[in-house]
Amino acid sequence: MSEDRLMVDVANRAVPRLVMLGRQGSGKGEQSGRLAARLDIEHISTGALLRAAIRDATSLGSAAAEAVERGEPVSDGLVVGLVAERLAVATALGRGVVLDGFPRTAAQAERLAALAPATPIDLAIHLVVPRALAVSRIQSRRVCDSCGWSGRTARCGHCNRPTTRRADDWPAAIGRRMSEHDRQIGPLLDWFGARNALAVVDGVGAPDDVEDRVAEVVGRALEGAHQRSTATAV
Ligand code: AMP
């Protein structure tokens, strides 16, 4: 889909609310960032927010640090609070969002629905990448401790500082997160599927190609949402 077409859709429905689903290493962070830039909406990544809180040694960071570094989920209370705060700001500013890393379970999806009953999620995009490919991507992943940038180079693509491996990108933690994902994803897909708000996108290939696939399904969903809202208005 052309960028123009997507912009028309966005103009029609000014506040898109999207969710990016996918295993670790699926590229969901990268694709959420691209989608946020493309649609001019907020990118809310729970993993990035938790890593920033840990880096800044806030009380949230110290409560979450052990679980994050072990590759285990932090409590729903912590993560829902974090998302609620960010969603409230975006809503107050009339901004759309793409949630990345939340919800991770059907129970979290229920909490999300309760947080914003009047503004349901337009679409959850499931980026599908085979486990072996995701593991090999994670093994070459590097992050910037200063700004949270993630990529594959020894220097940050954003602020040019030296990059490091993520504290949870070590074999046991990677395995734990993959297994956790495999256990949770079925019920989560069922949850969004039952609400007619799910698109499955092949996450294998060059990031630009994956971005085009994502833009295509998002454009279609936003167009549908716009048609439903004008039909209701008439
Ligand atoms: P990610 O950057 O999405 O791989 O997340 C990194 C880590 O943050 C996870 O391994 C969890 O410890 C924590 N985390 C992020 N999002 C959630 C969530 N929705 N529920 C529980 N823990 C989360």
Side-chain angles (χ1 to χ4, degrees), residues 28 46-47 50-51 68 72-74 79 101-102 104 108 166:
K28 70 181 160 52
T46 46
L50 289 167
R51 282 187 291 281
V68 171
E72 288 170 359
V74 306
V79 83
F102 182 91
R104 254 180 167 72
Q108 288 185 358
R166 250 170 67 165

Side-chain angles (χ1 to χ4, degrees), residues 47-132:
L49 289 170
L50 289 167
R51 282 187 291 281
I54 294 168
R55 195 172 59 229
D56 298 343
T58 65
S59 55
L60 169 72
S62 51
E66 199 182 320
V68 171
E69 278 161 27
R70 288 176 56 83
E72 288 170 359
V74 306
S75 74
D76 281 1
L78 274 188
V79 83
V80 171
L82 196 58
V83 171
E85 205 177 285
R86 296 291 162 144
L87 266 184
V89 173
T91 304
L93 297 173
R95 308 260 303 150
V97 295
V98 53
L99 298 176
D100 160 14
F102 182 91
R104 254 180 167 72
T105 61
Q108 288 185 358
E110 287 293 347
R111 301 281 296 268
L112 174 62
L115 278 180
T119 47
I121 295 298
D122 296 303
L123 188 69
I125 303 124
H126 182 208
L127 266 191
V128 180
V129 166
R131 182 169 172 149

Side-chain angles (χ1 to χ4, degrees), residues 3-222:
E3 197 145 329
D4 288 352
R5 162 89 187 287
L6 188 55
M7 293 321 285
V8 171
D9 293 337
V10 172
N12 286 338
R13 192 177 190 298
V15 192
R17 297 169 74 92
L18 306 166
V19 166
M20 191 72 73
L21 304 174
R23 59 168 76 259
Q24 294 72 24
S26 62
K28 70 181 160 52
E30 167 74 21
Q31 292 299 331
S32 299
R34 287 173 177 238
L35 195 54
R38 196 165 177 150
L39 301 186
D40 191 24
I41 60 178
E42 300 295 322
H43 176 190
I44 303 177
S45 159
T46 46
L49 289 170
L50 289 167
R51 282 187 291 281
I54 294 168
R55 195 172 59 229
D56 298 343
T58 65
S59 55
L60 169 72
S62 51
E66 199 182 320
V68 171
E69 278 161 27
R70 288 176 56 83
E72 288 170 359
V74 306
S75 74
D76 281 1
L78 274 188
V79 83
V80 171
L82 196 58
V83 171
E85 205 177 285
R86 296 291 162 144
L87 266 184
V89 173
T91 304
L93 297 173
R95 308 260 303 150
V97 295
V98 53
L99 298 176
D100 160 14
F102 182 91
R104 254 180 167 72
T105 61
Q108 288 185 358
E110 287 293 347
R111 301 281 296 268
L112 174 62
L115 278 180
T119 47
I121 295 298
D122 296 303
L123 188 69
I125 303 124
H126 182 208
L127 266 191
V128 180
V129 166
R131 182 169 172 149
L133 174 59
V135 170
S136 85
R137 283 182 178 175
I138 291 175
Q139 281 162 347
S140 63
R141 173 161 76 184
R142 303 185 65 85
V143 290
C144 175
D145 289 331
S146 301
C147 71
W149 178 88
S150 174
R152 288 185 169 67
T153 50
R155 292 212 160 251
C156 174
H158 180 65
C159 63
N160 203 36
R161 292 197 172 85
T163 54
T164 56
R165 296 291 305 276
R166 250 170 67 165
D168 56 352
D169 279 352
W170 49 285
I174 294 171
R176 217 173 272 142
R177 278 146 62 216
M178 290 285 168
S179 304
E180 178 80 13
H181 168 270
D182 292 348
R183 235 189 347 265
Q184 309 284 11
I185 192 70
L188 197 50
L189 297 179
D190 291 346
W191 196 93
F192 283 107
R195 285 154 185 83
N196 211 13
L198 178 67
V200 179
V201 169
D202 179 6
V204 179
D208 287 350
D209 295 337
V210 178
E211 182 183 347
D212 285 344
R213 290 174 212 146
V214 170
E216 176 75 39
V217 296
V218 169
R220 246 186 281 131
L222 297 180

